[in-house]
Amino acid sequence: MSDDDLTFETSLAGMKKADWRAAVAQLCDEDGYFESIGKRHFAAFVERSDTLLVTFETLQGIAALSSLAHPMGWEMMQTYGWSSLCLASDGDTWFRDGKVYAYIDRMIDEGFFDEYETVLFYGAGPCGYAAAAFSVACPGARVLAVQPQATLDPRVTEWDDRFTHMRRTDFTQRFGYAPDMLDAAERAFVVYDPHQTTDAMHAALFTRPNVEKLRIPHMGGAIQTDLLEIEQLGPMLKAMADDGLDTLGFARMMRARRMHPPYLRNLMAALDARDRPHLVEALARNVTTRMHAPKFARRLEQLKKERGTDAKA
């Protein structure tokens, strides 16, 4: 593929890492820039409008979540006409790197964020941590963090045993404790499933007057993927940009879960675990009347048989 063939509609899926980076750099060249930030990070910026979406992503997540292997911000750029700054890492680094701090410092010194009317920060998981932590670089920004960690400092979160390999990483110095870094944000939203214990414990650490917690019970441990599949992540970011994201609006968006099989299966499993057969039957009956759901149909038949057996006994 020649450079002239590249557009923001071009699929970059399946490319080798070096070729993919070269293609992204080429696409950013006309209206922005591509910059390597040390060995494991880079920035890809495209100028479009006075609304800027800053996304924190991983190379692996970009490849897995986008059918075109594009940074998430590019889809929002294409849909809403926003400017996009993607800060990406090779693997989960939580962006704890002195070269990243230096890049952010330069952006602050140059007044980069001051050029925009609205600035949004977004990330999920380790990238959600980064979105919250680095949002301090832009006072007045709005932040959406999905299942973020507050810190991995073992003196604070020794109960989180998922990322023990990161415990020697310094989370105490600059941009370290993500909840404190949100103090300068206009508004921030933390999305999580309260039944995911460690996620809920991290979310509790984000309790701040300007932070609103958006709970999605029974969504599970991969909420970003689910939000993309039910096509609600873009509308959430748009609502936040328009200063219209709130608990009621979020609840309305999440009605899309009713057609999302993974959520419905999680809900049925939770009801089974609580030994609530009547609610399981009501759920299975509702789901099977709305969509093709063999697992729910089998469970419904099983419950009917069990009820019939109990009646005979």
Side-chain angles (χ1 to χ4, degrees):
M1 180 185 300
S2 69
D3 291 345
D4 292 339
D5 294 331
L6 284 173
T7 72
F8 284 103
E9 286 77 34
T10 301
S11 174
L12 308 182
M15 286 186 174
K16 293 181 179 179
K17 190 181 298 183
D19 293 336
W20 183 89
R21 288 170 64 106
V24 171
Q26 177 66 26
L27 286 166
C28 292
D29 185 57
E30 184 174 350
D31 296 310
Y33 64 80
F34 179 93
E35 181 176 339
S36 293
I37 307 173
K39 294 181 178 179
R40 298 188 64 184
H41 303 91
F42 70 78
F45 170 64
V46 182
E47 178 77 50
R48 284 290 186 272
S49 72
D50 62 2
T51 294
L52 172 68
L53 174 61
V54 184
T55 59
F56 290 81
E57 309 183 48
T58 66
L59 291 175
Q60 295 74 18
I62 291 170
L65 296 174
S66 168
S67 61
L68 300 179
H70 286 184
M72 185 177 299
W74 287 10
E75 180 177 346
M76 307 306 160
M77 177 181 70
Q78 295 289 82
T79 302
Y80 302 122
W82 296 342
S83 297
S84 170
L85 173 61
C86 170
L87 290 167
S89 62
D90 189 354
D92 287 327
T93 67
W94 282 259
F95 294 80
R96 301 301 298 162
D97 185 317
K99 288 185 171 59
V100 175
Y101 311 158
Y103 172 81
I104 296 295
D105 284 339
R106 195 184 81 210
M107 303 290 273
I108 296 171
D109 292 342
E110 293 176 352
F112 174 81
F113 297 110
D114 297 336
E115 299 177 9
Y116 295 92
E117 183 71 24
T118 302
V119 180
L120 314 174
F121 281 71
Y122 171 78
C127 295
Y129 160 83
F134 292 107
S135 69
V136 71
C138 179
R142 299 167 191 170
V143 184
L144 178 60
V146 177
Q147 294 175 271
Q149 291 81 50
T151 177
L152 295 184
D153 181 352
R155 295 172 299 177
V156 180
T157 59
E158 62 184 354
W159 34 263
D160 191 342
D161 59 2
R162 299 173 296 176
F163 314 112
T164 54
H165 64 287
M166 291 293 294
R167 286 187 174 172
R168 291 188 179 183
T169 302
D170 191 348
F171 280 80
T172 65
Q173 295 188 20
R174 304 193 60 220
F175 307 105
Y177 188 57
D180 283 350
M181 299 301 101
L182 286 175
D183 286 348
E186 178 184 344
R187 295 186 72 192
F189 301 87
V190 172
V191 181
Y192 68 101
D193 181 342
H195 299 295
Q196 299 288 312
T197 303
T198 48
D199 285 345
M201 293 170 74
H202 277 285
L205 297 176
F206 282 90
T207 302
R208 294 289 190 280
N210 61 336
V211 177
E212 190 163 352
K213 297 173 188 175
L214 302 176
R215 299 166 177 82
I216 320 181
H218 310 301
M219 191 63 100
I223 293 177
Q224 176 177 238
T225 300
D226 291 317
L227 290 175
L228 288 168
E229 289 178 351
I230 65 175
E231 300 181 346
Q232 292 303 311
L233 183 55
M236 286 177 63
L237 289 166
K238 182 64 165 64
M240 186 168 71
D242 294 340
D243 199 22
L245 183 59
D246 56 23
T247 304
L248 179 58
F250 177 71
R252 287 171 175 159
M253 293 177 189
M254 290 307 102
R255 289 172 67 86
R257 291 177 298 171
R258 296 182 302 169
M259 298 299 292
H260 189 49
Y263 162 74
L264 295 170
R265 289 193 293 268
N266 288 344
L267 180 57
M268 184 168 68
L271 292 174
D272 272 328
R274 292 165 56 188
D275 193 24
R276 303 295 296 274
H278 295 296
L279 290 179
V280 173
E281 182 173 348
L283 173 65
R285 193 181 303 280
N286 176 275
V287 171
T288 54
T289 60
R290 294 187 289 107
M291 54 197 297
H292 179 64
K295 184 172 183 178
F296 286 85
R298 291 193 297 271
R299 188 74 178 98
L300 182 59
E301 289 304 312
Q302 180 185 8
L303 287 167
K304 288 179 180 179
K305 289 179 181 177
E306 289 174 358
R307 191 174 61 219
T309 303
D310 290 343
K312 291 178 183 178

